Amino acid sequence: KCDRNALPAPSRTTRAVELPQTNTERELADIWQRVLHVDAVGRDDDFFTLGGHSLLATQANAQANLHWSISLPLRALFDERTLARCATAIDAALAQRDARNGQQDTASAIDALLGELETQ
């Protein structure tokens, strides 16, 4: 066990945040801010360093999949971790989806998401 009284008080430092540059980055930053309850998310911020964990990652992934009507696997967030890299993965999934069969309807995206959640 950890004696919390023996730990030093947390220090709040101001950090430089590189603002999201693309629409995907901005929209994903909004999702992360809601899920993580943080004020700002920069391009190079790591989801897990900002306080994320597996349950919050599941929420963020589900919200992103519904927002963009894609079925990006949860593993992508664990592999990519930063906002910019996750946004790039989303853009790639969108391009692949559009190239594969035009526009995918929302019902199909929800079915795919539910199917992925059932296999986990």
Side-chain angles (χ1 to χ4, degrees):
K1 293 192 176 190
C2 179
D3 181 7
R4 293 179 184 260
N5 294 326
L7 295 173
S11 63
R12 302 214 183 254
T13 58
T14 305
R15 59 185 173 87
V17 174
E18 184 180 350
L19 297 175
Q21 296 177 354
T22 67
N23 284 337
T24 304
E25 288 179 5
R26 285 187 282 277
E27 292 169 12
L28 184 58
D30 289 340
I31 292 171
W32 284 18
Q33 285 175 255
R34 280 194 310 271
V35 169
L36 296 171
H37 303 287
V38 295
D39 295 329
V41 176
R43 295 188 78 237
D44 297 321
D45 284 343
D46 184 298
F47 181 85
F48 300 99
T49 302
L50 292 173
H53 51 72
S54 59
L55 295 176
L56 292 177
T58 302
Q59 289 178 13
N61 186 67
Q63 287 185 32
N65 281 336
L66 288 175
H67 180 78
W68 282 284
S69 298
I70 57 175
S71 56
L72 193 67
L74 177 60
R75 185 79 204 155
L77 181 56
F78 286 91
D79 291 340
E80 302 305 331
R81 301 180 71 100
T82 68
L83 181 77
R85 290 173 48 187
C86 285
T88 300
I90 290 170
D91 287 337
L94 289 169
Q96 182 181 31
R97 177 197 69 190
D98 293 345
R100 185 175 57 241
N101 60 2
Q103 296 295 331
Q104 179 182 16
D105 61 55
T106 304
S108 297
I110 292 171
D111 286 342
L113 175 62
L114 291 174
E116 180 185 345
L117 292 174
E118 288 175 355
T119 61
Q120 293 180 2

